Amino acid sequence: MKKKYFLILSILTIGTTNAQSTNDILTLLIQKGFIKQNEADSIRANYITKEKPTLKDKSFQVDLQLKNRFEYRDGYGNLPTNTSVPAAFVNQRSRLTLNYQHGNSLNAIISFQDARIWGSHDPRGLDGTIQLFEGYIEPAITQNFSIRLGRQRIMLDNQRLFAENEWRINGNAHDAINFRYNKGKLSSELIGAFNQTSEHFFGTDFTPTELSLTPGNATPSTWSNYKALAVHFLKYNINPNFTATSIIAADGFQSKTNPEKILWRFTYGGRIEYSSGRWYSTISGYLQSGRNNNDKTINAWYLQPEIKYTLPNSIAIRLGAEIFSGDNGTIENVDHNFVPLYGVAHLFNGFMDFFTKFPTDLNNSGLVNPYLFIAKSFNPKLEISSNSHLFFTQRTAVTLSNQELTKFMGYEHDLLIRYKPNHYSNLEAGFSFALPTETMTAIKKSGEESKIPTWAYVQAKFTPRLFKTTYN
């Protein structure tokens, strides 16, 4: 018997060396009477098991991001005066991301970053600025359902309400738990967060007292954030042309008079997208209710219609408007000012960021922002865009002296050139100017109507992958 199987294995070895089919060899052995059919099936199964390579289902990769931006500011965010002088500086983000994946069952990310203005820290000093940008683990419960736990970016839909704030030098992340479901046409995220400043023995008082130094504020100051957050995001691809999304969010802030009381603000609505050929259109709308941080009733709304057409010569034209409800400059018993939560304003309301803090930057008067974006792609590497914005208050603002202001606040134009020489490099240059009116200077409570705000920047961003390996 041993001699018989030694002969069989020898023939199999020779056969595979000569690139002959294993099945053909076993068939020949059966015909010659060396083995029976059941013995051949057993040998075949054993042979396939031994020869089958072990799949490498674990991966580890390291990604680097370096971003430097030179800015010239003479009206960015704030209107210039007759005595103000331009500002110039270079900021830098250095981010290192470690990503471990175990097939489809586990995903984990640790991301560290250093965000600074050139010269803002003594290079000989001992006060480091490394911070944790992201740090989460995401086990898969089923093939379509996973739970992401830890510090993470929350980017929902078009990022109008929840964004990573990529333009901001240090970005934005949340300490949260995210239940994620994706299957076919449907994707859903259910997010929850609860913030505390320390491990309390009693009570849940959330009153941050630690001073925070940010790139936008050279003087350390106290900060605030929501105490609790609950968000549900749903996206459904109805058909190849229609997509519907919805966001229901509740963010709660601690009462100024009772640390155990949470004032909840509710935001709910969604967006519909339609695309066909060269045409694209969308409309989104949201309502806000609940209580603001001064414990006043909220009754606010938001609307954004937009159409886009792409010409055969790679010119894309976008025409739309953003409308934020507001008050006439003073909040009475009901707050009508819509706040776009934790979204990005830079991509929607102009690169000069006149309106990023809602409703403060609008003096409680709301915003109507018609826009026209024209972008030309010369090739996959080079693109130029020209963006125009008109700014109006949504309500007629009334000054403290009972003077009614006209609604028109001004015009802004943004010019952007983007060049991507390769897959990990992105070079940008931008120039913006604005034509403010007396209403804008009154709304912003600063600046001179006769001064033309200008702003320019040059940015280099590199995102190379330093290392990737797969293993068992």
Side-chain angles (χ1 to χ4, degrees):
M1 180 64 67
K2 291 182 180 179
K3 182 178 180 182
K4 172 182 172 182
Y5 277 99
F6 177 77
L7 177 61
I8 293 171
L9 291 176
S10 299
I11 294 174
L12 286 173
T13 302
I14 296 172
T16 53
T17 302
N18 293 325
Q20 295 181 12
S21 169
T22 302
N23 288 328
D24 292 342
I25 296 174
L26 290 173
T27 301
L28 178 63
L29 292 174
I30 294 172
Q31 293 173 351
K32 296 295 184 181
F34 282 98
I35 59 175
K36 297 180 180 179
Q37 182 65 48
N38 61 340
E39 292 175 319
D41 293 340
S42 177
I43 294 172
R44 183 184 292 108
N46 184 61
Y47 183 77
I48 292 175
T49 300
K50 289 183 177 180
E51 289 297 311
K52 183 178 180 180
T54 303
L55 295 177
K56 297 180 178 180
D57 61 347
K58 300 183 182 70
S59 69
F60 177 72
Q61 65 188 44
V62 181
D63 294 305
L64 175 67
Q65 182 187 112
L66 292 175
K67 185 171 77 167
N68 291 93
R69 183 169 67 236
F70 166 79
E71 290 191 46
Y72 168 88
R73 294 181 176 181
D74 191 18
Y76 172 90
N78 294 277
L79 300 177
T81 66
N82 292 326
T83 58
S84 62
V85 295
F89 58 87
V90 178
N91 61 34
Q92 175 172 319
R93 175 201 295 166
S94 306
R95 182 181 293 170
L96 190 68
T97 301
L98 313 179
N99 183 204
Y100 168 78
Q101 286 185 310
H102 186 171
N104 296 322
S105 62
L106 181 67
N107 181 37
I109 280 185
I110 296 290
S111 181
F112 302 99
Q113 73 177 15
D114 171 78
R116 64 173 64 236
I117 308 300
W118 283 11
S120 61
H121 295 274
D122 185 353
R124 301 161 298 181
L126 298 177
D127 52 334
T129 59
I130 300 296
Q131 62 180 188
L132 178 70
F133 177 60
E134 281 191 295
Y136 66 81
I137 189 166
E138 185 177 355
I141 308 304
T142 68
Q143 183 179 356
N144 306 111
F145 176 60
S146 63
I147 301 176
R148 182 175 293 183
L149 180 63
R151 175 160 292 187
Q152 58 191 276
R153 288 174 287 179
I154 298 179
M155 300 172 288
L156 303 181
D157 193 30
N158 61 358
Q159 301 197 47
R160 195 61 191 95
L161 298 184
F162 289 89
E164 63 173 333
N165 295 109
E166 169 62 21
W167 174 258
R168 188 187 303 167
I169 181 177
N170 50 345
N172 191 33
H174 303 253
D175 299 317
I177 183 170
N178 188 345
F179 300 88
R180 302 162 62 87
Y181 178 83
N182 290 279
K183 184 178 181 181
K185 298 180 178 182
L186 179 68
S187 60
S188 174
E189 297 185 35
L190 180 62
I191 304 165
F194 183 72
N195 291 325
Q196 292 285 275
T197 55
S198 64
E199 297 180 352
H200 296 308
F201 286 103
F202 300 101
T204 61
D205 185 10
F206 180 61
T207 309
T209 57
E210 178 187 18
L211 297 181
S212 175
L213 178 65
T214 65
N217 185 6
T219 305
S221 60
T222 57
W223 52 277
S224 62
N225 197 5
Y226 57 78
K227 186 173 184 177
L229 176 70
V231 184
H232 180 244
F233 168 72
L234 185 70
K235 181 177 181 179
Y236 183 70
N237 297 318
I238 302 172
N239 56 47
N241 302 108
F242 279 99
T243 301
T245 61
S246 72
I247 296 176
I248 302 173
D251 54 336
F253 291 81
Q254 182 170 292
S255 169
K256 297 178 181 179
T257 58
N258 182 359
E260 298 305 317
K261 179 181 179 181
I262 296 180
L263 304 175
W264 288 98
R265 174 176 59 190
F266 303 99
T267 306
Y268 37 92
R271 191 161 71 97
I272 296 177
E273 298 175 272
Y274 172 79
S275 60
S276 178
R278 299 184 180 276
W279 286 96
Y280 168 86
S281 61
T282 181
I283 184 168
S284 59
Y286 290 92
L287 298 175
Q288 247 171 18
S289 61
R291 315 290 291 185
N292 67 11
N293 55 7
N294 290 317
D295 206 4
K296 290 187 176 182
T297 299
I298 300 173
N299 184 7
W301 54 271
Y302 165 86
L303 188 66
Q304 185 216 7
E306 178 184 297
I307 59 173
K308 176 183 176 181
Y309 181 72
T310 303
L311 297 169
N313 56 356
S314 299
I315 294 180
I317 302 174
R318 292 172 54 194
L319 177 65
E322 277 202 309
I323 307 173
F324 298 80
S325 66
D327 286 297
N328 61 0
T330 303
I331 300 176
E332 303 293 344
N333 294 328
V334 179
D335 184 356
H336 295 98
N337 295 279
F338 185 91
V339 178
L341 300 183
Y342 312 98
V344 58
H346 186 81
L347 298 178
F348 289 87
N349 303 129
F351 292 170
M352 297 189 76
D353 287 340
F354 288 129
F355 311 110
T356 59
K357 302 179 183 66
F358 292 79
T360 305
D361 285 345
L362 291 156
N363 196 25
N364 304 308
S365 299
L367 174 67
V368 178
N369 172 202
Y371 56 82
L372 174 64
F373 297 169
I374 301 175
K376 165 66 176 177
S377 295
F378 294 91
N379 52 56
K381 295 183 178 181
L382 179 62
E383 180 182 270
I384 297 179
S385 62
S386 172
N387 303 339
S388 297
H389 296 265
L390 294 174
F391 299 121
F392 302 82
T393 59
Q394 193 270 323
R395 294 280 300 276
T396 299
V398 179
T399 65
L400 295 177
S401 59
N402 250 2
Q403 175 190 0
E404 290 190 356
L405 300 173
T406 60
K407 290 186 176 182
F408 182 53
M409 290 189 290
Y411 167 80
E412 177 183 331
H413 183 263
D414 306 319
L415 179 66
L416 173 65
I417 302 174
R418 181 181 289 116
Y419 178 63
K420 298 180 179 180
N422 48 54
H423 70 279
Y424 59 85
S425 303
N426 191 330
L427 308 178
E428 290 184 13
F431 173 76
S432 300
F433 72 89
L435 303 174
T437 65
E438 183 182 357
T439 298
M440 183 179 285
T441 61
I443 292 293
K444 298 288 289 182
K445 299 179 181 179
S446 65
E448 299 289 341
E449 177 188 355
S450 58
K451 298 285 289 184
I452 298 179
T454 57
W455 170 72
Y457 79 97
V458 178
Q459 176 177 283
K461 180 180 177 182
F462 303 94
T463 55
R465 175 157 294 169
L466 302 183
F467 175 78
K468 182 176 182 179
T469 184
T470 56
Y471 56 97
N472 299 325

